[in-house]
C-alpha cells in the first residue's frame, strides 16, 4: 500500500478538469456567496499582512502571513476568480461546455469577489479610524499609502504604469493558479497548506498585483 501523500501529475490533471466541471454547475447565487466570502477573506489576509509588516518593520513578514487567505479559500472550497481562470476553461478544451458559460461563471465570481473585498474594506476603515473620527495612523496609514501607490502611483506613469500593473497582475494570477494546482497534488490538510502557501508568498513578497487585495484596502 502506498502511504506517500502525493497525487501524480496525471491524476492532478483529471482532478483539475473535474473541479472545472463542478464549478460550471454552480448556480449564480452560490457563485456570488462563495465569491463574496473569498473576497472578504483575502481582505482580512491583506490587512493582517500589512499589520505584521508595520509592527515588525519587515515587509517580508507580511508576505509570510498573507497566504493564510488563499489557504482558507482552498480548504473551504470557495470561489476565487483567479483560481477559476486555471480550472473552468478545461471542460471547454474537451468541448464539454461553451465559452459563454465560462465567461458567465467568471463574471459572477468576480462580482462576488469584488463585493466581499469592498465590504471588508469599508469595515476595516471604520475599525481603524473609529468611523472616520481619527486620522489614519499606523496600520491604517500604511494601508492608505499602499492604496495610493497602486492607483495614483501607476497613473502618474501613464501608459508605462498601465503596462506595468497589467504585467504584475499576470504574474500574480500565474502564482495563484499555481497555488491552486499545487494544492491538488496532496490529499492532506497540512500538505495543501504548504503547497498553497509557497506561490502566494512569492507573489506577495514581490509586489505583484491582485484586484481583490487592492479593493480591500481602504483609502
Amino acid at each position: 500500500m502506498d502511504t506517500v501523500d502525493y497525487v501524480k501529475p496525471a491524476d492532478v490533471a483529471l482532478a483539475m478538469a473535474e473541479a472545472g466541471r463542478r464549478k460550471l454547475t454552480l448556480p449564480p447565487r452560490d457563485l456570488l456567496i462563495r465569491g463574496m466570502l473569498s473576497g472578504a477573506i483575502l481582505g482580512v489576509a491583506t490587512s493582517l499582512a500589512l499589520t505584521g509588516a508595520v509592527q515588525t518593520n519587515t515587509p517580508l513578514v507580511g508576505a509570510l502571513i498573507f497566504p493564510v487567505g488563499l489557504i482558507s479559500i482552498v480548504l473551504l472550497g470557495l470561489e476565487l476568480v483567479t483560481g477559476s481562470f486555471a480550472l473552468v476553461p478545461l471542460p471547454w478544451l474537451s468541448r464539454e461546455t461553451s465559452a459563454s458559460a465560462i465567461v458567465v461563471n467568471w463574471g459572477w465570481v468576480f462580482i462576488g469577489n469584488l463585493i466581499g473585498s469592498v465590504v471588508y474594506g469599508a469595515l476595516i476603515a471604520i475599525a481603524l479610524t473609529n468611523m472616520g473620527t481619527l486620522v489614519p495612523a499606523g496600520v491604517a496609514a500604511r494601508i492608505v499609502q499602499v492604496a495610493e501607490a497602486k492607483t495614483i502611483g501607476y497613473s502618474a506613469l501613464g501608459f508605462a504604469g498601465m503596462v506595468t500593473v497589467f504585467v504584475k497582475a499576470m504574474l500574480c494570477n500565474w502564482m495563484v493558479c499555481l497555488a491552486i494546482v499545487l494544492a491538488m497534488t496532496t490529499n492532506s490538510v497540512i500538505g495543501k497548506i504548504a503547497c498553497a502557501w509557497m506561490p502566494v508568498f512569492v507573489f506577495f513578497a514581490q509586489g505583484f498585483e491582485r484586484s481583490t487585495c487592492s479593493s480591500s484596502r481602504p483609502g
Side-chain angles (χ1 to χ4, degrees):
M1 179 178 178
D2 187 4
T3 59
V4 177
D5 179 36
Y6 172 65
V7 180
K8 295 180 180 179
D11 294 325
V12 171
L14 293 175
M16 290 171 63
E18 180 57 31
R21 295 187 193 98
R22 288 198 305 269
K23 289 178 181 294
L24 286 170
T25 63
L26 292 173
R29 181 185 64 179
D30 285 8
L31 294 173
L32 272 176
I33 293 173
R34 295 184 185 201
M36 289 169 63
L37 290 171
S38 294
I41 288 171
L42 282 184
V44 173
T46 301
S47 60
L48 177 63
L50 292 176
T51 298
V54 169
Q55 290 181 348
T56 63
N57 199 30
T58 306
L60 195 61
V61 170
L64 291 170
I65 295 172
F66 179 74
V68 68
L70 185 67
I71 289 169
S72 299
I73 291 168
V74 168
L75 295 180
L76 292 172
L78 301 178
E79 294 296 319
L80 191 65
V81 71
T82 41
S84 294
F85 289 157
L87 303 177
V88 175
L90 297 181
W92 175 76
L93 292 176
S94 57
R95 299 184 180 181
E96 298 175 37
T97 189
S98 64
S100 61
I102 294 172
V103 173
V104 169
N105 181 281
W106 285 343
W108 284 116
V109 175
F110 174 78
I111 292 170
N113 291 166
L114 181 63
I115 292 173
S117 59
V118 169
V119 168
Y120 178 75
L123 294 176
I124 194 65
I126 292 171
L128 294 178
T129 65
N130 285 349
M131 203 171 178
T133 60
L134 298 177
V135 176
V139 175
R142 176 56 179 160
I143 292 175
V144 171
Q145 180 185 8
V146 171
E148 290 177 344
K150 292 179 176 295
T151 51
I152 300 172
Y154 288 123
S155 178
L157 297 175
F159 179 72
M162 295 302 100
V163 173
T164 299
V165 73
F166 183 79
V167 170
K168 285 186 175 182
M170 289 176 58
L171 293 170
C172 170
N173 203 133
W174 187 2
M175 292 298 101
V176 172
C177 289
L178 180 59
I180 297 296
V181 174
L182 282 178
M184 293 182 171
T185 64
T186 172
N187 292 314
S188 69
V189 173
I190 189 64
K192 290 181 180 297
I193 290 173
C195 289
W197 177 86
M198 294 184 291
V200 179
F201 164 75
V202 169
F203 100 67
F204 198 89
Q206 295 188 89
F208 297 157
E209 297 293 352
R210 174 171 172 74
S211 60
T212 47
C213 296
S214 299
S215 58
S216 63
R217 290 165 180 157

